[in-house]
Structure formats: C-alpha cells, structure tokens
Amino acid sequence: MYDTVLLPTDGSDHAERAGVHAGLLAQRFGATVHVLNVVDLQSAAGPMNAGGVDEEYVQRLEAEGEAAIAAVEPTVEDAAVETAVVRGRPSQTILDYAADHDADLLAMGTHGRTGIRRYIAGSVVEHVVRHASVPVLTVRATETSHPGDGYEEILVPTDGSEPATVAVEHALAIAERMDARIHALNVADAATLASGPEGQVSPDVLDELRARGERVTDEIATAAADRGVDATTAVREGLPARDILDYAADPDVDLITM
C-alpha cells in the first residue's frame, strides 16, 4: 500500500508529530520516508523586494531547513530515510516532489488555525489536501495525537460515495497492519433533512436514509470481516462534522480516514 511516505517539515511541533505517524506507518509497511523542507524565497524576499534576497541569506534559510529536517528525523529513525531541502513555493513544490518521487502518502503537521492565521499558516496544507493525487495524513500536536505503538481504533465516516469508498481501502490496509478495529459511521445531515416545508421530515425519508446508512456501513463491516479485521457500525442523524468529531472523542479513536 505504502512504499514512499513524504514528510514535509517546517520544524514545528506539529510537523514533528506528523513525523511520528509517518515513521509508524513506514515501519509497518516497509516504506521509505522522504523528509522535505521547502525554502520559500518569494516569501522571504517580501512583496516589496523586487530584487529578491542575497545568496548569503538563502544559505541561512537552507541551513534552517536542514535544522528543521534534523529536528524531525528522530521521529522516523526506525524507517529508511531520505532528506532534501528544495527552493520553491511550498504547496506546489511539495506536490511536485511527491509526483517526482512516486509518494504513496503525505504526512503533514497542521496548526488547526482559523481566520487570517489559518490563511497564512494553514493554506499550504489545505492546498496540498485539495490537490494531492495521493492520501494526505494531517496531524496536530495535541495530547491525544500521539499514536503510541500503533492505532487501535480507526473511524471511517462514509456516505457511500466513491471518494469515501477509496478511503475505506486505506483504513482496512492500516487496520490489518495495526490489528485495529474499524468504526464505520454514517451521519445523515440534519440541515439537509430539515430543508423541506416547515422543516419537517417525513418518516419515510428518515427510514430510507437510515436504511441507506446501514447498507453502506454494513458493506464496510463485511469488507473488514473478509480481511480478518474487527468492525462496528453506527448510523446517526445530525451535523456530520460535529457528529464525526463527537464520535471520535467517545471511543478514543486513534485515526480518522475519510
């Protein structure tokens, strides 16, 4: 499933935590981890500096990139590691590097910011997630985001769509290597359900949605059983994003695959 894992790093705690996950997956799948730092000369020069930056400053930025790589390398020490410092625009350079090196998975730290801080610091991760042709694992450095010796509970939210089905295959492959349990979850969107006249939903519509949710989650449970993976299913009506997070907090889910 995974032969090459790309780990871009800016030297932050979040990138280091992503490295722990990258190292764990690389170890279990026998993959090589590529630790990458991108030196953004355009941002370093600033919008008013048409002349760019001098070579001495570039060398200092590249030295900082090497330090960022050195900081994250211990997190992936149990895997084969390659490193690179590359000049360019971070989001596109990461995507290009992933394509050039046939990366099967990207692991990235995210600051989890909102508003203008998210726009500045989170735009790279968001752009990569939206445009990458391979899975992207995003991680924040929180008390519960350390994987320990592996994942035990993997949440797979699904609406039965093709993208959701693709995510299932990755969840099952990881569950096999980690001896983890799959939680297949379907959440019917309450906002959509209440969009009819007077915000009412007919019992027939609810029954149809529940039946569909049970069908798509049962399909995941069956696929898990075929591979010797334990699975449980749940169907709810509510607000998908909120209910997914609530469910993830309840059984101490280690990983969300969607």
Side-chain angles (χ1 to χ4, degrees):
M1 173 67 67
Y2 307 127
D3 294 318
T4 303
V5 178
L6 176 57
L7 174 63
T9 180
D10 57 2
S12 67
D13 291 343
H14 305 288
E16 289 186 28
R17 186 58 53 83
V20 176
H21 288 262
L24 172 65
L25 289 167
Q27 180 185 19
R28 296 299 178 91
F29 285 90
T32 298
V33 178
H34 288 242
V35 186
L36 173 70
N37 176 268
V38 181
V39 176
D40 188 350
L41 296 182
Q42 183 174 348
S43 294
M48 305 304 293
N49 191 346
V53 293
D54 60 39
E55 188 60 28
E56 182 179 351
Y57 186 53
V58 172
Q59 290 177 2
R60 191 193 325 168
L61 292 175
E62 291 180 337
E64 291 174 356
E66 295 285 359
I69 289 174
V72 81
E73 277 190 284
T75 67
V76 295
E77 60 184 3
D78 292 332
V81 178
E82 296 186 18
T83 65
V85 175
V86 181
R87 303 178 186 181
R89 295 184 60 183
S91 55
Q92 191 56 51
T93 302
I94 290 168
L95 293 170
D96 291 343
Y97 188 99
D100 292 342
H101 293 80
D102 295 323
D104 308 294
L105 175 71
L106 283 77
M108 302 183 69
T110 177
H111 297 264
R113 293 169 176 165
T114 58
I116 188 63
R117 294 179 71 196
R118 181 214 59 78
Y119 179 78
I120 295 171
S123 59
V124 172
V125 176
E126 181 175 349
H127 182 89
V128 171
V129 168
R130 290 183 178 276
H131 295 280
S133 58
V134 296
V136 182
L137 172 68
T138 63
V139 183
R140 283 192 300 135
T142 67
E143 291 183 2
T144 58
S145 67
H146 198 292
D149 294 330
Y151 308 123
E152 295 180 357
E153 311 287 341
I154 299 177
L155 175 58
V156 186
T158 181
D159 57 5
S161 65
E162 183 177 353
T165 302
V166 172
V168 171
E169 177 58 30
H170 290 271
L172 291 176
I174 294 171
E176 279 186 304
R177 300 297 177 104
M178 304 284 181
D179 194 24
R181 177 169 58 171
I182 294 289
H183 294 255
L185 172 67
N186 174 266
V187 181
D189 191 342
T192 301
L193 294 176
S195 61
E198 301 179 359
Q200 296 181 350
V201 183
S202 73
D204 289 343
V205 171
L206 282 176
D207 289 343
E208 181 180 344
L209 289 171
R210 290 192 188 104
R212 184 175 186 276
E214 291 171 358
R215 184 176 69 254
V216 298
T217 54
D218 285 346
E219 288 174 355
I220 294 174
T222 299
D226 290 342
R227 298 168 71 153
V229 173
D230 189 22
T232 184
T233 65
V235 177
R236 298 180 177 179
E237 296 98 31
L239 300 176
R242 183 196 65 191
D243 281 31
I244 290 168
L245 290 173
D246 287 347
Y247 189 100
D250 187 21
D252 296 324
V253 165
D254 305 297
L255 179 70
I256 303 174
T257 307
M258 59 190 300

